[in-house]
Amino acid sequence: MSLRDYDGWRRYGEWMKKNHENYQKQMSDREIMNAKRGTYIPPEVKNIDQMPDQKWHRRISFLKSGIRIIGYVFIPFNLLTATVLLIVSEAVGIIEELV
């Protein structure tokens, strides 16, 4: 063991003596947090009928992304088709937010 390691541990011991009460409080807080970790109760969800349908939202989002990718692929070949596809993807995005 080097002298530097010993000095570090010595200073840690001195700190523990000075801050023993605070250290014990931190440890008890950790134990309380660990005990509560397994007993999580989710909050009550209100207005569930107004929430979006996740399944359809995800499907429409994938459709929108596919249209957008195809639109970007068409940019070097046909600018008009690419523009129409990108505008359609934005319209599908609006529909996505309404689902």
Side-chain angles (χ1 to χ4, degrees), residues 43-81:
E44 204 175 296
V45 178
K46 297 178 182 178
N47 300 330
I48 191 79
D49 56 330
Q50 296 177 357
M51 299 206 44
D53 186 6
Q54 293 179 359
K55 182 174 79 171
W56 281 105
H57 188 83
R58 185 181 65 237
R59 286 180 179 177
I60 294 174
S61 176
F62 288 154
L63 176 68
K64 177 188 72 171
S65 296
I67 294 171
R68 190 173 284 165
I69 289 170
I70 293 169
Y72 285 124
V73 167
F74 267 98
I75 287 177
F77 306 111
N78 190 344
L79 200 55
L80 182 63
T81 304

Side-chain angles (χ1 to χ4, degrees), residues 6-96:
Y6 176 76
D7 188 45
W9 281 108
R10 183 184 54 78
R11 282 185 278 128
Y12 176 71
E14 290 172 1
W15 179 84
M16 283 290 290
K17 288 177 186 173
K18 291 178 188 174
N19 299 307
H20 183 72
E21 291 176 11
N22 291 336
Y23 178 76
Q24 291 298 326
K25 182 176 179 339
Q26 285 178 346
M27 293 310 290
S28 66
D29 289 346
R30 284 186 187 165
E31 289 172 6
I32 290 170
M33 287 172 30
N34 287 335
K36 289 182 179 179
R37 192 172 288 165
T39 59
Y40 174 72
I41 300 172
E44 204 175 296
V45 178
K46 297 178 182 178
N47 300 330
I48 191 79
D49 56 330
Q50 296 177 357
M51 299 206 44
D53 186 6
Q54 293 179 359
K55 182 174 79 171
W56 281 105
H57 188 83
R58 185 181 65 237
R59 286 180 179 177
I60 294 174
S61 176
F62 288 154
L63 176 68
K64 177 188 72 171
S65 296
I67 294 171
R68 190 173 284 165
I69 289 170
I70 293 169
Y72 285 124
V73 167
F74 267 98
I75 287 177
F77 306 111
N78 190 344
L79 200 55
L80 182 63
T81 304
T83 304
V84 169
L85 285 171
L86 292 174
I87 290 172
V88 168
S89 75
E90 289 302 317
V92 171
I94 293 170
I95 294 169
E96 172 193 7

